[in-house]
């Protein structure tokens, strides 16, 4: 007949090992779960920031296009970065440059935002515009986030699209 007094410590030791293993597994699971939650939350915040950046920077471009449409040179000029403002000096000179060199931006017949990228401080909007001669243009806006949190247009480049409109 086995000695029951010797079996009790062995069973207790086995149970302690089993509980210790369960505790380690439980702790590991909690750490993994916390990591997944943190990653999901961080991704969610980054996506929320990107969505806000997209909306705010696009609104600046649309506001400038509206100012061009209204012929409001000071307002259109106000959406440019200080560097661009320094280069052109005043709103009338800026408006003349846009009117003479960027007709598709000055008075577009159609505007469609097609692509957006950001690093949080700069944003690139790829926009398709159709001018009044029915020419399709790819227009690339670089928009800069200023220290006060506002977005300003730092450059605009246009190229005639390789495809024709049907």
């Amino acid at each position: 007949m086995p000695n029951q007094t010797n079996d009790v410590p062995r069973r207790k030791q086995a149970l302690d090992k089993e509980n210790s293993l369960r505790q380690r597994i439980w702790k590991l699971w909690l750490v993994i779960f916390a990591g997944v939650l943190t990653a999901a939350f961080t991704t969610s915040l980054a996506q929320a920031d990107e969505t806000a950046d997209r909306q705010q920077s696009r609104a600046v471009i649309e506001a400038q296009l509206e100012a061009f449409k209204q012929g409001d040179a000071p307002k259109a000029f106000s959406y440019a970065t200080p560097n661009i403002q320094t280069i052109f000096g005043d709103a009338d000179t800026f408006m003349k440059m846009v009117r003479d060199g960027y007709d598709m931006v000055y008075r577009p017949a159609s505007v469609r935002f097609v692509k957006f990228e950001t690093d949080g401080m700069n944003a690139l909007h790829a926009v398709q515009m159709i001018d009044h001669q029915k020419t399709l243009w790819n227009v690339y806006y670089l928009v800069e986030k200023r220290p006060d949190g506002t977005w300003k247009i730092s450059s605009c480049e246009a190229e005639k699209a390789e495809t024709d409109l049907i």
Side-chain angles (χ1 to χ4, degrees):
M1 179 166 185
N3 185 348
Q4 288 184 347
T5 30
N6 287 339
D7 286 346
V8 171
R10 282 188 213 151
R11 275 189 250 145
K12 183 173 178 345
Q13 194 176 31
L15 284 174
D16 286 347
K17 282 183 181 178
E18 189 176 310
N19 284 338
S20 177
L21 180 61
R22 282 185 182 159
Q23 285 177 345
R24 280 191 235 143
I25 291 172
W26 181 248
K27 286 178 184 177
L28 179 62
W29 185 86
L30 283 175
V31 168
I32 291 170
F33 182 71
V36 168
L37 278 180
T38 301
F41 183 70
T42 302
T43 301
S44 176
L45 285 177
Q47 288 173 344
D49 287 347
E50 185 172 317
T51 299
D53 288 348
R54 176 190 306 249
Q55 292 171 345
Q56 293 168 2
S57 60
R58 177 177 171 163
V60 169
I61 296 167
E62 291 173 328
Q64 188 181 59
L65 291 172
E66 183 60 29
F68 289 145
K69 182 178 176 182
Q70 300 299 322
D72 190 341
K75 190 165 192 151
F77 193 55
S78 75
Y79 296 111
T81 59
N83 187 45
I84 297 297
Q85 291 177 353
T86 299
I87 290 169
F88 290 98
D90 61 64
D92 292 331
T93 303
F94 175 74
M95 189 70 121
K96 181 177 179 351
M97 178 277 301
V98 174
R99 189 175 45 248
D100 293 349
Y102 290 85
D103 187 55
M104 78 295 296
V105 171
Y106 182 65
R107 294 281 200 264
S110 174
V111 176
R112 184 169 77 109
F113 287 77
V114 293
K115 188 174 180 182
F116 172 79
E117 294 177 13
T118 187
D119 64 6
M121 293 308 294
N122 295 288
L124 174 69
H125 283 274
V127 184
Q128 289 184 328
M129 295 186 181
I130 300 172
D131 64 18
H132 287 287
Q133 289 76 37
K134 305 292 185 234
T135 303
L136 178 63
W137 295 86
N138 294 317
V139 182
Y140 304 97
Y141 282 92
L142 187 58
V143 190
E144 175 184 303
K145 192 175 220 176
R146 304 297 301 156
D148 66 358
T150 60
W151 289 89
K152 299 286 183 176
I153 300 168
S154 61
S155 73
C156 175
E157 295 183 28
E159 65 180 6
K160 188 174 183 242
E162 293 182 17
T163 60
D164 291 327
L165 293 175
I166 299 173

